[in-house]
Amino acid sequence: MNGPISPRDLARPIEQLTEIDPKNLPPLPHPYEDWEDPAFKELTDENRERLEHSLDGIVGLKIARPDDEATRAEYVEKFLTGLDKLLDRESNWTFLQPLSLSLENCVKCNTCADACPVYESSGRNEVYRPIFRSESLRRLVNRRRGGKLASMMSRFTGNDVDASWETIARLADLSYRCTLCRRCAQSCAMGVDNGLMTREIRKLFSQELGWSPDELHKDGTVKQLVTGSSTGMNPKGFQDIVEFAQEDIEERLGLSIEIPVDKAGADILVLHNAGEFLAWPENLQAFAVIFEAAGLSWTLSSEIAGYDSVNYGLFYDDVQFARVGMKHAETAKKLGVRKVVMGECGHAHKAAMAIGDRIWLDELNIPRESSFTLLAQLLRDGRIELEPERNPFPVTLHDPCNITRSMGIVEPQREVIRAACPQFREMTPHGVENYCCGGGSGFAIMNSLNFLDWRMLVSGRKKFGQILESFAPEIDDKDLPKYVCAPCSNCKGQIRDLLAHYKAWDRSKLHYGGLVELVVNAMKGVKPGFIDWDEIDMMM
Amino acid sequence: MPMPQIVLYAAMAFFVVAVIARAVKYARHPVHMRWELYPVAHEKGRAGYGGSHFEESEHWDSPRQIDHVGEARAMASEILMLEGVRRHNRPLWRFSWPFHVGVYLVIVWLGLLLVAGAVWRGGDAPVAMARAIDLVGFVGLVVGLWGALGLLYRRMADPALRSYNAPVEIVNLLAWIVYLGWALGVHAVEGGFASLTAFTGGLVTLQPVAVSTPVAVEIVLGALLLAYLPLTRMFHFVAKYFLYHDVRWDDAPNPRGGALEQRLTKAMDFGVSWSAPHVAKAASWGEAAQGDGGQEDQR
Ligand code: SF4
Ligand code: SF4
């Protein structure tokens, strides 16, 4: 589309509203001055015909284009009914107050735009401006609430977004161009939360129209509730993983450890993201080594959903969120543990400890704590001891938004990393002001068609630049390995993909991993070499 | 009773009712999920870097340290200095802050006028009081007008702001500019606020007081603005209180058997009207949460 875009243009019956040209993206810092971003993967004619891509040419949600006008009209009607439910005190009691307050009180000052990494990294594409999305929802709501009068006054009041097929299809896709990182909300003096409104849009589409990314719903929460894990791993597969981990610990470290599973009456139930077991089994192993060395009474669970802490409902659907949360709580209750400890997964922390704090009720209200606070406490109590000189390489820390900005857990992980890594340095900015990795809100597992390109070039761009800058003094030393500590499975997946996409091992010897791996690599009494740089080099 | 007086009484009554209605509306929303955003100002010793009670190992057993003074300080700097805008949007703050300070001073000025009217019943207030009214009134009107003009300029000139600002937003600012400008002009010509002190005396004692046409226009403009304010986003004081206290800083934990848990348990009985296939069969939230996992085909 030519000329400036405004929310009302969502309704325009044109093939595509906007396009991202890789040439217009902001440059990356040193040593990427020579880097040329590849073009986005072309959609096939069949995909263009079949799937909605009319927002920005990116297919995130994979909405099938209806052939007939009647079906389109039916969806629009459902969307409008969904708006009513979003504002209903029973159907949306879970978020009605925050939503209403955010809907009614934006003063359009636009301060939030400068805080948004997606908007900035897109070369400031208008449709990614935080208030473009929320203003679209706001205008649709105001039109719906105001009836005929609102329609008549729409030019004056600005409530000028018409509800059409194009509008709802583009809005649905647009709600998957925001990582729900809430950095914009932090900069809003009014307290308005564009991230929250994005999540409410996703929720409307999921709970009313049944539109959600397959990765989050069909292959996410549904799979988790049915087979036990969104990875598809069943309880038997989980047991095999545990056996493998025990053998690997023995082989690598010479330690004979029996990882406890379903140990009734254990003090602690540890909830891990099952993605770790498949992609980074060393994380599970490191936890086991630390907990055994510290003499903790702990267990894992092989119950359905009990061995997978993920709760993708957090990103798109309150009902699915509650269902998965219930399964986690029931698992803890069944085992009779005193507390649940969350492994290195940011959204699982937030789902179980912060939002879930108002879902785990009555006898299911079992205390939950972060593994970061437990680790820091173990160090303080001298139950594990470190030889930090065994981690001589530069290390930086990525702050998962869900754990820092949304939960205020900032210092414990730093206490651990400072004790374990003499070459630790912060990113700028960090802590609660961090930038999202670009894989937040489910993006880290969304790879279909050209969406992976989008999260590499656009949503992850800011973080990749930040990583390069944090290693600036050594970035040109191609023999010195550098470690990005990302203590969250989703962030870790995104950073893995970013480093691979930007060929960061070859160009700057950048690698990534979790927090507990650094601890075990420096742990007194444990054979050195848990982080094996030669092995990493061979795999790259 | 003269028309300006009647209009002002009506506007004041409408303002009070509208503000209370808005506060009640927000306060009566059902309990919601936790959705705080750090830094949370009342986290003792941690607010500076954004830390929380979750940073304690076994946090449920350690008492929460609530820093009421820290929270009050954060609120004061937000209200008086517009700290959030100052930190995150300095160019806007350069106009927004004077505008808000102007409005605060105008409120203080109106308060002083009412006090003077009530105490001296339309008679001459002591010189010190009259001087205070002059000082606060003129500074408030000038600074507020400057800020409002600056905000209007920014909204018109900044292309990013322009496309999100409907005519109504411009009209809102113009309403302030007209009122502040008119009041400033009238009292600059008059050389003070004696006419208004007399008027507020009558207002307090319910006695009619005749005023000149320019002052009558000023009073009616002020009354209309007062009644219009709670209908617009310009009056965000109440909402901002809820946005901060009930959402952004709402980190109230939910201990087993506590009052919050009771409210949440009741909420689980609320009906679920959503109609996507994976939700549609549940009658209540409690039932939905215990659902079969939403295995139904969703599309
Ligand atoms: S969300 Fe907040 S920062 Fe953004 S435009 Fe609205 S009021 Fe301003
Ligand atoms: S939540 Fe994050 S990604 Fe979404 S609009 Fe705000 S800053 Fe941008």
Side-chain angles (χ1 to χ4, degrees):
Chain A
M1 199 190 117
N2 294 324
I5 301 174
S6 122
R8 72 167 164 269
D9 295 317
L10 281 180
R12 286 206 173 195
I14 52 176
E15 178 67 17
Q16 195 174 309
L17 201 56
T18 184
E19 188 174 26
I20 307 151
D21 183 348
K23 290 196 193 71
N24 295 338
L25 302 181
L28 288 164
H30 180 71
Y32 278 73
E33 296 86 349
D34 60 339
W35 180 261
E36 277 192 34
D37 286 302
F40 287 89
K41 190 172 157 189
E42 284 274 336
L43 298 178
T44 62
D45 287 347
E46 195 223 329
N47 283 333
R48 297 180 78 83
E49 184 68 27
R50 201 171 56 84
L51 297 172
E52 210 16 82
H53 61 279
S54 70
L55 175 71
D56 52 3
I58 307 295
V59 177
L61 199 46
K62 287 190 276 178
I63 306 164
R65 290 182 145 174
D67 298 329
D68 57 300
E69 203 41 56
T71 313
R72 289 167 178 239
E74 202 180 300
Y75 276 127
V76 174
E77 200 42 51
K78 274 192 178 182
F79 171 82
L80 292 171
T81 323
L83 280 183
D84 299 339
K85 293 176 187 174
L86 218 47
L87 302 169
D88 179 74
R89 55 185 295 120
E90 295 213 358
S91 288
N92 196 23
W93 68 271
T94 44
F95 284 97
L96 180 65
Q97 190 184 41
L99 172 65
S100 302
L101 286 161
S102 278
L103 272 175
E104 291 167 19
N105 292 290
C106 170
V107 291
K108 324 286 167 59
C109 66
N110 215 10
T111 307
C112 45
D114 286 337
C116 175
V118 174
Y119 174 61
E120 185 188 332
S121 298
S122 69
R124 301 187 175 260
N125 189 306
E126 191 58 33
V127 301
Y128 303 151
R129 187 188 289 279
I131 56 166
F132 183 95
R133 193 182 299 106
S134 47
E135 191 56 19
S136 305
L137 175 67
R138 185 175 291 120
R139 292 180 188 189
L140 284 158
V141 165
N142 290 346
R143 275 283 274 276
R144 179 77 174 165
R145 272 176 172 171
K148 279 223 169 70
L149 185 65
S151 299
M152 276 158 53
M153 307 252 306
S154 64
R155 283 275 158 184
F156 179 66
T157 56
N159 296 319
D160 54 3
V161 180
D162 295 322
S164 68
W165 164 259
E166 286 77 10
T167 306
I168 67 161
R170 286 175 181 144
L171 186 63
D173 243 327
L174 189 55
S175 68
Y176 289 89
R177 300 292 184 278
C178 157
T179 62
L180 311 185
C181 75
R182 303 179 74 205
R183 202 166 186 276
C184 52
Q186 208 175 37
S187 74
C188 175
M190 286 297 300
V192 170
D193 190 338
N194 292 304
L196 170 96
M197 284 190 276
T198 304
R199 185 178 179 275
E200 293 296 295
I201 297 171
R202 292 184 179 191
K203 198 164 90 181
L204 185 165
F205 282 109
S206 176
Q207 292 179 183
E208 190 65 13
L209 286 79
W211 290 2
S212 48
D214 285 348
E215 294 91 335
L216 299 185
H217 186 73
K218 188 158 100 16
D219 299 328
T221 53
V222 172
K223 202 183 256 181
Q224 186 178 11
L225 290 162
V226 177
T227 64
S229 163
S230 56
T231 59
M233 182 191 300
N234 60 22
K236 168 76 180 65
F238 166 69
Q239 296 278 9
D240 293 345
I241 295 271
V242 169
E243 271 169 40
F244 168 78
Q246 290 171 174
E247 286 162 19
D248 213 30
I249 292 172
E250 177 119 42
E251 203 174 294
R252 291 167 75 153
L253 302 175
L255 296 173
S256 172
I257 286 178
E258 193 184 329
I259 296 177
V261 176
D262 299 330
K263 194 170 114 191
D267 193 45
I268 300 170
L269 165 67
V270 185
L271 281 182
H272 286 298
N273 179 321
E276 296 275 354
F277 305 157
L278 300 173
W280 307 286
E282 61 278 8
N283 186 269
L284 164 68
Q285 295 166 20
F287 266 103
V289 170
I290 295 169
F291 283 12
E292 287 300 307
L296 300 181
S297 157
W298 66 292
T299 186
L300 301 177
S301 161
S302 69
E303 280 288 316
I304 293 280
Y307 52 91
D308 193 354
S309 66
V310 310
N311 189 343
Y312 292 145
L314 181 77
F315 302 140
Y316 76 103
D317 189 301
D318 285 349
V319 176
Q320 293 296 85
F321 170 79
R323 286 172 177 162
V324 175
M326 285 290 145
K327 289 273 185 225
H328 289 147
E330 280 159 9
T331 304
K333 185 186 153 225
K334 197 165 157 191
L335 285 167
V337 294
R338 190 174 62 85
K339 67 177 177 184
V340 176
V341 167
M342 306 308 297
E344 294 186 6
C345 179
H347 90 275
H349 265 75
K350 180 164 150 185
M353 292 174 63
I355 304 197
D357 193 34
R358 297 186 183 175
I359 288 277
W360 294 41
L361 304 176
D362 201 12
E363 54 183 3
L364 298 179
N365 196 344
I366 296 152
R368 281 89 69 202
E369 100 168 273
S370 168
S371 54
F372 302 166
T373 54
L374 179 62
L375 284 173
Q377 192 63 44
L378 293 178
L379 279 175
R380 263 178 249 144
D381 294 346
R383 292 173 79 172
I384 48 172
E385 287 183 85
L386 303 180
E387 296 168 334
E389 60 281 6
R390 282 163 55 178
N391 284 334
F393 40 85
V395 175
T396 193
L397 175 68
H398 163 68
D399 282 299
C401 304
N402 286 315
I403 295 179
T404 51
R405 197 163 19 254
S406 284
M407 292 181 69
I409 302 178
V410 183
E411 265 304 309
Q413 59 273 42
R414 287 178 163 71
E415 198 178 326
V416 175
I417 210 166
R418 280 189 213 112
C421 306
Q423 293 285 335
F424 169 62
R425 79 279 317 275
E426 293 279 13
M427 293 192 192
T428 309
H430 58 265
V432 292
E433 290 178 359
N434 73 318
Y435 282 107
C436 172
C437 63
S441 79
F443 290 179
I445 53 161
M446 288 168 63
N447 294 324
S448 60
L449 301 172
N450 52 11
F451 195 79
L452 175 64
D453 295 345
W454 185 84
R455 77 175 161 87
M456 293 298 101
L457 268 65
V458 179
S459 70
R461 194 175 196 85
K462 190 77 192 172
K463 180 53 64 176
F464 183 62
Q466 239 196 325
I467 291 172
L468 294 176
E469 281 167 347
S470 67
F471 291 120
E474 311 90 351
I475 200 76
D476 292 322
D477 185 344
K478 293 187 179 172
D479 296 322
L480 179 68
K482 301 153 194 89
Y483 190 99
V484 184
C485 175
C488 161
S489 314
N490 282 345
C491 303
K492 206 152 62 177
Q494 166 75 358
I495 289 173
R496 171 197 57 202
D497 295 348
L498 281 173
L499 299 188
H501 172 86
Y502 290 103
K503 305 190 184 341
W505 178 258
D506 294 339
R507 292 177 65 115
S508 299
K509 276 269 183 306
L510 288 178
H511 192 57
Y512 69 97
L515 180 64
V516 281
E517 292 87 325
L518 287 168
V519 170
V520 171
N521 201 47
M523 223 165 111
K524 231 183 213 172
V526 175
K527 200 166 113 188
F530 188 70
I531 297 175
D532 185 340
W533 290 108
D534 293 335
E535 190 184 85
I536 292 165
D537 196 28
M538 262 163 42
M539 281 173 2
M540 290 296 160
Chain B
M1 198 169 276
M3 212 261 286
Q5 215 160 330
I6 296 170
V7 174
L8 190 53
Y9 282 131
M12 281 159 53
F14 183 81
F15 178 83
V16 171
V17 171
V19 169
I20 291 174
R22 195 183 263 216
V24 167
K25 180 184 120 178
Y26 290 136
R28 290 189 56 201
H29 277 134
V31 59
H32 58 81
M33 297 288 102
R34 264 178 89 158
W35 195 257
E36 74 262 36
L37 185 67
Y38 289 87
V40 168
H42 56 236
E43 281 288 355
K44 198 168 206 157
R46 296 191 169 110
Y49 66 87
S52 77
H53 190 224
F54 282 134
E55 291 190 327
E56 302 266 332
S57 182
E58 312 225 329
H59 54 89
W60 53 93
D61 272 346
S62 70
R64 277 171 85 215
Q65 308 266 333
I66 305 286
D67 182 359
H68 294 290
V69 175
E71 183 173 306
R73 210 181 302 128
M75 282 169 65
S77 81
E78 191 51 47
I79 294 168
L80 297 176
M81 293 305 297
L82 304 193
E83 186 53 30
V85 184
R86 199 179 75 85
R87 263 193 75 193
H88 297 287
N89 194 343
R90 197 56 74 91
L92 177 67
W93 184 80
R94 291 200 183 100
F95 295 117
S96 190
W97 186 62
F99 175 66
H100 282 81
V101 168
V103 172
Y104 298 154
L105 289 175
V106 164
I107 293 168
V108 174
W109 166 64
L110 293 173
L112 290 175
L113 283 172
L114 278 173
V115 170
V119 175
W120 291 282
R121 306 284 166 112
D124 283 343
V127 176
M129 186 65 170
R131 288 278 172 278
I133 291 173
D134 285 356
L135 183 71
V136 176
F138 279 121
V139 173
L141 292 171
V142 169
V143 172
L145 184 60
W146 162 252
L149 285 167
L151 288 175
L152 183 68
Y153 166 75
R154 264 187 63 83
R155 286 196 187 247
M156 310 275 275
D158 183 340
L161 289 179
R162 208 169 41 208
S163 50
Y164 293 91
N165 281 290
V168 64
E169 318 278 354
I170 306 297
V171 167
N172 291 348
L173 273 174
L174 282 174
W176 274 104
I177 291 167
V178 168
Y179 168 68
L180 294 170
W182 184 271
L184 187 61
V186 167
H187 296 290
V189 171
E190 186 186 316
F193 300 95
S195 56
L196 276 187
T197 317
F199 176 78
T200 50
L203 206 63
V204 175
T205 53
L206 303 178
Q207 298 301 316
V209 175
V211 288
S212 66
T213 308
V215 173
V217 171
E218 177 199 351
I219 293 165
V220 171
L221 284 175
L224 293 178
L225 182 61
L226 186 69
Y228 179 56
L229 268 182
L231 305 177
T232 70
R233 265 187 290 275
M234 288 188 293
F235 190 81
H236 41 243
F237 198 78
V238 172
K240 199 164 167 177
Y241 174 86
F242 284 96
L243 273 160
Y244 275 72
H245 288 85
D246 279 14
V247 184
R248 196 169 176 156
W249 294 345
D250 176 12
D251 58 349
N254 171 35
R256 193 187 284 197
L260 181 56
E261 196 179 73
Q262 282 174 22
R263 289 174 70 198
L264 290 160
T265 307
K266 275 196 194 133
M268 284 293 179
D269 290 335
F270 283 154
V272 187
S273 61
W274 297 98
S275 47
H278 68 282
V279 196
K281 287 183 194 132
S284 70
W285 278 91
E287 201 183 307
Q290 296 293 343
D292 60 3
Q295 300 147 42
E296 304 87 345
D297 183 19
Q298 63 151 345
R299 243 181 269 171

